[in-house]
């Protein structure tokens, strides 16, 4: 006997997911011979391990369809159940989940290597330029792990290092001053989870978004920890963060080694760790390049320009006299 649960991204959509008078739910129960119930903001599935895996995958696929199309018909349920039965749908609770009704997946070879490293290793260090999906993919993996109950909490961390502007000139108390540094992590998280769900997770301490200094003295078990902008950590700060790992935890460290905002002469903790931890079992380092940029096409050309690469020759337009 096995049991698992799925976070309900939008509780208002639960009725549509289960169908009028639970017709979709009854169809899934009968087809896969599982017990399905809903309470505490989660859908609970119980039964034979293989059947639970198939039911969980079917519910995830149907929830994604509902988010994308706004409705769910009986034939949609029949199609997903048939695909699950034939093994055509990916394994239940695959590490890359659903964002805004669409599947989150690596879009370049480098990103695929990064995702594979996060699947296999307990400590992954990723260096690459802006726009390569370092933070986005790590947050997607963390959310998927939380939903599958592979971890109990997510901890998103950033160093509060100034990039040419003084922190002291920002208005408000300390929390107000550090919020701008943490906003990129919140933006990535809101791509995966609705705001009210994030708020509830934060109140329950299931998700933490905190400055690096707040990690000192802690040991976190069964947590997915992400250190973003890691190039702006010192060597001692990096050591402090990495040694917070407890039993059943996973760490992803990401940053751009070409954008270090530390004082002149201070060695970057990310650069040091990439060198110091090379070859250690359980640690995987991934290098992303400009070819992995998936933002606006102009971003790649900007990165090339700042890295000193030759400009790509643009085709000239011929104007005919008229």
């Amino acid at each position: 006997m096995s049991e698992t649960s799925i976070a309900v991204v939008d509780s208002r959509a639960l009725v549509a997911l289960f169908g009028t008078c639970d017709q979709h739910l009854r169809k899934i129960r009968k087809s896969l011979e599982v017990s399905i119930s809903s309470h505490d903001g989660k859908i609970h599935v119980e039964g034979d391990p293989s059947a639970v895996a198939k039911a969980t995958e079917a519910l995830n696929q149907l929830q994604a369809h509902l988010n994308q199309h706004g409705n769910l018909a009986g034939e949609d349920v029949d199609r997903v159940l048939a695909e699950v039965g034939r093994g055509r749908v990916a394994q239940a609770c695959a590490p890359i989940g659903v964002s805004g009704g669409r599947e989150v997946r690596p879009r370049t070879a480098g990103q695929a290597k990064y995702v594979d490293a996060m699947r296999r290793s307990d400590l992954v260090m990723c260096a690459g330029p802006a726009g390569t999906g370092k933070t986005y993919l790590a947050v997607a993996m963390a959310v998927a792990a939380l939903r599958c109950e592979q971890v109990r909490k997510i901890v998103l961390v950033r160093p509060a290092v100034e990039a040419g502007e003084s922190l002291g000139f920002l208005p408000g108390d300390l929390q107000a001053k550090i919020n701008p540094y943490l906003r990129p992590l919140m933006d990535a998280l809101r791509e995966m989870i609705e705001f009210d769900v994030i708020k509830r997770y934060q109140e329950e301490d299931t998700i933490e978004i905190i400055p690096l200094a707040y990690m000192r003295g802690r040991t976190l078990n069964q947590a997915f920890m992400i250190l973003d902008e890691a190039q702006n950590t010192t060597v001692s700060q990096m050591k402090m963060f990495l040694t917070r790992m407890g039993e059943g935890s996973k760490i992803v460290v990401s940053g751009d080694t070409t954008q270090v905002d530390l004082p002149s002469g201070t060695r970057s903790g990310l650069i040091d760790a990439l060198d110091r931890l090379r070859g250690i079992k359980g640690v995987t380092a991934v290098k992303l390049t400009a070819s992995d940029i998936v933002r606006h096409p102009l971003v790649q050309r900007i990165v090339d320009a700042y890295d000193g690469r030759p400009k790509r020759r643009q085709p000239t337009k011929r104007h005919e006299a008229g």
Side-chain angles (χ1 to χ4, degrees), residues 287-309:
K287 175 69 173 178
L288 300 179
T289 67
S291 63
D292 297 304
I293 292 175
V294 292
R295 289 183 185 171
H296 192 287
L298 185 57
V299 174
Q300 183 166 343
R301 295 197 288 273
I302 292 171
V303 171
D304 287 348
Y306 275 94
D307 285 349
R309 297 187 180 94

mmCIF file of all heavy atoms in Angstrom, residues 287-309:
data_model
loop_
_atom_site.group_PDB
_atom_site.id
_atom_site.type_symbol
_atom_site.label_atom_id
_atom_site.label_comp_id
_atom_site.label_asym_id
_atom_site.label_seq_id
_atom_site.Cartn_x
_atom_site.Cartn_y
_atom_site.Cartn_z
ATOM 1 N N LYS A 287 28.481 24.434 -16.279
ATOM 2 C CA LYS A 287 28.811 25.724 -16.877
ATOM 3 C C LYS A 287 27.843 26.008 -18.014
ATOM 4 O O LYS A 287 27.784 25.269 -19.001
ATOM 5 C CB LYS A 287 30.252 25.702 -17.414
ATOM 6 C CG LYS A 287 30.666 26.948 -18.171
ATOM 7 C CD LYS A 287 30.797 28.150 -17.268
ATOM 8 C CE LYS A 287 31.381 29.345 -18.022
ATOM 9 N NZ LYS A 287 31.477 30.549 -17.164
ATOM 10 N N LEU A 288 27.039 27.061 -17.890
ATOM 11 C CA LEU A 288 26.157 27.505 -18.958
ATOM 12 C C LEU A 288 26.827 28.650 -19.714
ATOM 13 O O LEU A 288 27.643 29.381 -19.160
ATOM 14 C CB LEU A 288 24.813 27.957 -18.388
ATOM 15 C CG LEU A 288 24.019 26.895 -17.623
ATOM 16 C CD1 LEU A 288 22.706 27.476 -17.093
ATOM 17 C CD2 LEU A 288 23.736 25.672 -18.491
ATOM 18 N N THR A 289 26.476 28.785 -20.978
ATOM 19 C CA THR A 289 27.100 29.797 -21.830
ATOM 20 C C THR A 289 26.033 30.663 -22.488
ATOM 21 O O THR A 289 24.829 30.459 -22.297
ATOM 22 C CB THR A 289 27.965 29.138 -22.913
ATOM 23 O OG1 THR A 289 27.102 28.423 -23.823
ATOM 24 C CG2 THR A 289 28.968 28.168 -22.305
ATOM 25 N N ALA A 290 26.479 31.618 -23.297
ATOM 26 C CA ALA A 290 25.549 32.509 -23.989
ATOM 27 C C ALA A 290 24.588 31.736 -24.886
ATOM 28 O O ALA A 290 23.477 32.190 -25.150
ATOM 29 C CB ALA A 290 26.323 33.538 -24.814
ATOM 30 N N SER A 291 24.990 30.551 -25.354
ATOM 31 C CA SER A 291 24.115 29.756 -26.214
ATOM 32 C C SER A 291 22.918 29.185 -25.445
ATOM 33 O O SER A 291 21.971 28.693 -26.051
ATOM 34 C CB SER A 291 24.902 28.608 -26.862
ATOM 35 O OG SER A 291 25.400 27.720 -25.873
ATOM 36 N N ASP A 292 22.977 29.251 -24.101
ATOM 37 C CA ASP A 292 21.876 28.757 -23.279
ATOM 38 C C ASP A 292 20.907 29.864 -22.867
ATOM 39 O O ASP A 292 19.958 29.621 -22.116
ATOM 40 C CB ASP A 292 22.428 28.088 -22.012
ATOM 41 C CG ASP A 292 23.271 26.863 -22.326
ATOM 42 O OD1 ASP A 292 22.754 25.962 -23.005
ATOM 43 O OD2 ASP A 292 24.435 26.820 -21.899
ATOM 44 N N ILE A 293 21.124 31.084 -23.322
ATOM 45 C CA ILE A 293 20.247 32.198 -22.960
ATOM 46 C C ILE A 293 18.896 32.018 -23.622
ATOM 47 O O ILE A 293 18.800 31.776 -24.828
ATOM 48 C CB ILE A 293 20.875 33.545 -23.374
ATOM 49 C CG1 ILE A 293 22.117 33.824 -22.517
ATOM 50 C CG2 ILE A 293 19.884 34.686 -23.241
ATOM 51 C CD1 ILE A 293 22.889 35.061 -22.923
ATOM 52 N N VAL A 294 17.831 32.127 -22.820
ATOM 53 C CA VAL A 294 16.481 31.910 -23.341
ATOM 54 C C VAL A 294 15.593 33.132 -23.102
ATOM 55 O O VAL A 294 14.375 33.026 -23.162
ATOM 56 C CB VAL A 294 15.844 30.653 -22.707
ATOM 57 C CG1 VAL A 294 16.546 29.411 -23.166
ATOM 58 C CG2 VAL A 294 15.839 30.741 -21.182
ATOM 59 N N ARG A 295 16.175 34.264 -22.813
ATOM 60 C CA ARG A 295 15.405 35.500 -22.710
ATOM 61 C C ARG A 295 15.267 36.124 -24.093
ATOM 62 O O ARG A 295 15.408 35.465 -25.109
ATOM 63 C CB ARG A 295 16.090 36.475 -21.740
ATOM 64 C CG ARG A 295 16.010 36.061 -20.281
ATOM 65 C CD ARG A 295 16.657 37.123 -19.399
ATOM 66 N NE ARG A 295 16.689 36.694 -17.997
ATOM 67 C CZ ARG A 295 17.349 37.345 -17.045
ATOM 68 N NH1 ARG A 295 18.008 38.457 -17.329
ATOM 69 N NH2 ARG A 295 17.340 36.898 -15.804
ATOM 70 N N HIS A 296 14.997 37.418 -24.122
ATOM 71 C CA HIS A 296 14.904 38.150 -25.382
ATOM 72 C C HIS A 296 16.197 37.943 -26.178
ATOM 73 O O HIS A 296 17.289 37.969 -25.604
ATOM 74 C CB HIS A 296 14.707 39.635 -25.070
ATOM 75 C CG HIS A 296 14.313 40.445 -26.264
ATOM 76 N ND1 HIS A 296 15.190 40.763 -27.281
ATOM 77 C CD2 HIS A 296 13.127 41.022 -26.598
ATOM 78 C CE1 HIS A 296 14.575 41.488 -28.186
ATOM 79 N NE2 HIS A 296 13.318 41.663 -27.801
ATOM 80 N N PRO A 297 16.133 37.724 -27.503
ATOM 81 C CA PRO A 297 17.347 37.495 -28.302
ATOM 82 C C PRO A 297 18.394 38.577 -28.134
ATOM 83 O O PRO A 297 19.601 38.314 -28.276
ATOM 84 C CB PRO A 297 16.809 37.472 -29.742
ATOM 85 C CG PRO A 297 15.378 37.069 -29.609
ATOM 86 C CD PRO A 297 14.900 37.645 -28.303
ATOM 87 N N LEU A 298 17.978 39.801 -27.810
ATOM 88 C CA LEU A 298 18.929 40.886 -27.631
ATOM 89 C C LEU A 298 19.857 40.641 -26.439
ATOM 90 O O LEU A 298 21.006 41.108 -26.442
ATOM 91 C CB LEU A 298 18.179 42.210 -27.445
ATOM 92 C CG LEU A 298 19.022 43.491 -27.354
ATOM 93 C CD1 LEU A 298 19.903 43.647 -28.592
ATOM 94 C CD2 LEU A 298 18.120 44.701 -27.169
ATOM 95 N N VAL A 299 19.373 39.888 -25.422
ATOM 96 C CA VAL A 299 20.196 39.619 -24.244
ATOM 97 C C VAL A 299 21.470 38.893 -24.640
ATOM 98 O O VAL A 299 22.560 39.197 -24.142
ATOM 99 C CB VAL A 299 19.405 38.810 -23.191
ATOM 100 C CG1 VAL A 299 20.316 38.399 -22.034
ATOM 101 C CG2 VAL A 299 18.226 39.615 -22.670
ATOM 102 N N GLN A 300 21.370 37.919 -25.534
ATOM 103 C CA GLN A 300 22.555 37.171 -25.952
ATOM 104 C C GLN A 300 23.559 38.081 -26.648
ATOM 105 O O GLN A 300 24.765 37.986 -26.433
ATOM 106 C CB GLN A 300 22.166 36.016 -26.876
ATOM 107 C CG GLN A 300 23.362 35.154 -27.290
ATOM 108 C CD GLN A 300 22.944 33.843 -27.922
ATOM 109 O OE1 GLN A 300 21.809 33.421 -27.777
ATOM 110 N NE2 GLN A 300 23.864 33.202 -28.611
ATOM 111 N N ARG A 301 23.060 39.019 -27.464
ATOM 112 C CA ARG A 301 23.967 39.933 -28.154
ATOM 113 C C ARG A 301 24.625 40.898 -27.164
ATOM 114 O O ARG A 301 25.792 41.271 -27.347
ATOM 115 C CB ARG A 301 23.201 40.688 -29.244
ATOM 116 C CG ARG A 301 22.686 39.773 -30.368
ATOM 117 C CD ARG A 301 22.314 40.541 -31.610
ATOM 118 N NE ARG A 301 21.093 41.323 -31.443
ATOM 119 C CZ ARG A 301 19.867 40.851 -31.651
ATOM 120 N NH1 ARG A 301 19.697 39.590 -32.041
ATOM 121 N NH2 ARG A 301 18.816 41.621 -31.498
ATOM 122 N N ILE A 302 23.891 41.294 -26.140
ATOM 123 C CA ILE A 302 24.465 42.159 -25.109
ATOM 124 C C ILE A 302 25.571 41.431 -24.359
ATOM 125 O O ILE A 302 26.652 41.971 -24.116
ATOM 126 C CB ILE A 302 23.367 42.639 -24.138
ATOM 127 C CG1 ILE A 302 22.400 43.595 -24.853
ATOM 128 C CG2 ILE A 302 23.980 43.318 -22.914
ATOM 129 C CD1 ILE A 302 21.173 43.947 -24.046
ATOM 130 N N VAL A 303 25.296 40.163 -23.971
ATOM 131 C CA VAL A 303 26.305 39.364 -23.271
ATOM 132 C C VAL A 303 27.543 39.194 -24.136
ATOM 133 O O VAL A 303 28.683 39.321 -23.671
ATOM 134 C CB VAL A 303 25.726 37.990 -22.861
ATOM 135 C CG1 VAL A 303 26.825 37.069 -22.343
ATOM 136 C CG2 VAL A 303 24.647 38.168 -21.798
ATOM 137 N N ASP A 304 27.347 38.916 -25.416
ATOM 138 C CA ASP A 304 28.479 38.773 -26.334
ATOM 139 C C ASP A 304 29.313 40.047 -26.376
ATOM 140 O O ASP A 304 30.552 40.008 -26.373
ATOM 141 C CB ASP A 304 27.984 38.436 -27.747
ATOM 142 C CG ASP A 304 27.475 37.008 -27.867
ATOM 143 O OD1 ASP A 304 27.714 36.226 -26.925
ATOM 144 O OD2 ASP A 304 26.843 36.683 -28.887
ATOM 145 N N ALA A 305 28.626 41.204 -26.415
ATOM 146 C CA ALA A 305 29.329 42.483 -26.504
ATOM 147 C C ALA A 305 30.177 42.730 -25.267
ATOM 148 O O ALA A 305 31.328 43.169 -25.359
ATOM 149 C CB ALA A 305 28.329 43.616 -26.709
ATOM 150 N N TYR A 306 29.628 42.441 -24.088
ATOM 151 C CA TYR A 306 30.370 42.675 -22.859
ATOM 152 C C TYR A 306 31.472 41.642 -22.644
ATOM 153 O O TYR A 306 32.445 41.897 -21.935
ATOM 154 C CB TYR A 306 29.413 42.683 -21.657
ATOM 155 C CG TYR A 306 28.780 44.036 -21.430
ATOM 156 C CD1 TYR A 306 27.541 44.336 -21.974
ATOM 157 C CD2 TYR A 306 29.423 45.018 -20.693
ATOM 158 C CE1 TYR A 306 26.957 45.574 -21.791
ATOM 159 C CE2 TYR A 306 28.845 46.263 -20.502
ATOM 160 C CZ TYR A 306 27.611 46.544 -21.044
ATOM 161 O OH TYR A 306 27.040 47.767 -20.865
ATOM 162 N N ASP A 307 31.317 40.461 -23.253
ATOM 163 C CA ASP A 307 32.362 39.443 -23.137
ATOM 164 C C ASP A 307 33.450 39.616 -24.185
ATOM 165 O O ASP A 307 34.394 38.817 -24.249
ATOM 166 C CB ASP A 307 31.748 38.038 -23.278
ATOM 167 C CG ASP A 307 30.996 37.637 -22.021
ATOM 168 O OD1 ASP A 307 31.138 38.336 -20.999
ATOM 169 O OD2 ASP A 307 30.268 36.627 -22.063
ATOM 170 N N GLY A 308 33.298 40.613 -25.034
ATOM 171 C CA GLY A 308 34.335 40.895 -26.021
ATOM 172 C C GLY A 308 34.297 39.999 -27.234
ATOM 173 O O GLY A 308 35.274 39.888 -27.960
ATOM 174 N N ARG A 309 33.166 39.317 -27.467
ATOM 175 C CA ARG A 309 33.076 38.457 -28.643
ATOM 176 C C ARG A 309 32.864 39.311 -29.891
ATOM 177 O O ARG A 309 32.255 40.382 -29.827
ATOM 178 C CB ARG A 309 31.923 37.449 -28.496
ATOM 179 C CG ARG A 309 32.120 36.483 -27.340
ATOM 180 C CD ARG A 309 31.031 35.407 -27.381
ATOM 181 N NE ARG A 309 31.193 34.467 -26.283
ATOM 182 C CZ ARG A 309 30.572 34.590 -25.122
ATOM 183 N NH1 ARG A 309 29.764 35.610 -24.921
ATOM 184 N NH2 ARG A 309 30.751 33.700 -24.169
#
